[in-house]
Amino acid sequence: MTRPRAASDRFVAQLSARTRSRVTVIHSPLIEIRPLPVQADLAGMRGLIFTSANGVNAAVAMGVDRDLPAYCVGPATTGAASGAGWQAQMMGATAEELIANLLQLRPQSPLMHLRGEHSRGNIAERLTESGLTVQEQPIYRQTLLPLSDEAAAIADGDAAVLVPLFSPRTARQFADVWPGTAPLWLAAISPATAEPLETLAHAQLTIAKEPTPDRMRKAVKKLVNLAMRVESARHAD
């Protein structure tokens, strides 16, 4: 698991009991989330945009006003914002869907996109160019990390290593730091996340049918089943 520990624990806990029983979970966060020492200037803002639960958590730590409506990407981010007290509305599963749906909804603006230092999609710029005024404020930093000692120790083994990857930046970091020859079974949340992984030797690379936690869990279940069959056949030989 390459996400920060809390997010990884939530994902693993929501896998089926059968899937969990067939794997050994190794934690190797490749990104550390740290709030930036800033305050968001929300004077005059009519709503917020969140594209990750990390943005929601950083906004909570900053004490951002919960009275503003929140427009979110994906069920996990929407759930985090709703749980923190915002009137949260899911506007799609991807940044592209969020942009299209916001342009159709045309909520009162200006809006503020509270995001990480590294962000894809140019959401604020594209919405503003299309007539919906949106500003943006980085409120957290995503620091890249090396593999954990435990993950590095299995890299040159012969056991199947299954890695779910949830962002293009994490996938690029994994491709950069993976040192081994162990058979890799990779699950990517999107085509953009899969792209950096194509340079790695792998037994299987599966892209989730939709960029959601539920579809990623299904992709992981499928990979576990496939890897188990391959391992069983190899040992039978």
Side-chain angles (χ1 to χ4, degrees), residues 16-226:
S16 69
R18 177 170 172 77
T19 298
R20 289 199 308 271
S21 71
R22 304 174 84 184
V23 299
T24 299
V25 178
I26 293 175
H27 291 279
S28 181
L30 296 181
I31 286 184
E32 182 180 31
I33 305 301
R34 295 181 179 178
L36 289 169
V38 297
Q39 287 296 321
D41 182 5
L42 300 179
M45 293 295 118
R46 307 303 294 271
L48 304 174
I49 295 175
F50 290 119
T51 48
S52 76
N54 293 323
V56 173
N57 294 335
V60 169
M62 293 170 57
V64 171
D65 187 359
R66 310 294 209 282
D67 291 335
L68 295 172
Y71 305 100
C72 304
V73 171
T77 303
T78 307
S82 178
W86 276 282
Q87 182 182 342
Q89 185 174 352
M90 179 172 159
M91 301 301 294
T94 65
E96 295 298 322
E97 291 179 2
L98 173 121
I99 290 170
N101 289 330
L102 279 175
L103 290 176
Q104 183 176 15
L105 180 65
R106 293 282 172 178
Q108 291 184 318
S109 64
L111 307 177
M112 177 67 78
H113 181 198
L114 297 176
R115 61 172 182 82
E117 282 187 324
H118 299 275
S119 181
R120 295 170 59 89
N122 299 319
I123 289 171
E125 179 181 351
R126 291 168 63 190
L127 284 170
T128 299
E129 288 175 351
S130 298
L132 184 63
T133 303
V134 177
Q135 299 178 27
E136 58 183 350
Q137 172 69 61
I139 60 173
Y140 64 92
R141 174 170 293 141
Q142 305 111 309
T143 303
L144 296 175
L145 300 174
L147 284 177
S148 68
D149 291 343
E150 189 178 10
I154 65 167
D156 287 318
D158 61 0
V161 179
L162 195 155
V163 188
L165 292 148
F166 293 83
S167 74
R169 193 158 185 256
T170 305
R172 168 53 57 199
Q173 177 67 354
F174 181 77
D176 287 344
V177 302
W178 178 253
T181 56
L184 283 175
W185 297 74
L186 305 169
I189 198 168
S190 66
T193 302
E195 185 177 350
L197 305 172
E198 292 171 356
T199 61
L200 292 171
H202 55 268
Q204 181 82 15
L205 172 56
T206 295
I207 301 173
K209 291 184 178 180
E210 295 177 353
T212 64
D214 181 60
R215 289 295 187 176
M216 278 295 280
R217 286 190 291 272
K218 290 179 179 178
V220 167
K221 178 182 177 180
K222 177 182 176 181
L223 286 181
V224 169
N225 291 338
L226 286 172

Side-chain angles (χ1 to χ4, degrees), residues 3 5-15 53 57 217:
R3 304 175 89 185
R5 184 60 183 261
S8 289
D9 284 344
R10 284 195 300 272
F11 182 80
V12 171
Q14 292 170 352
L15 293 171
N57 294 335
R217 286 190 291 272

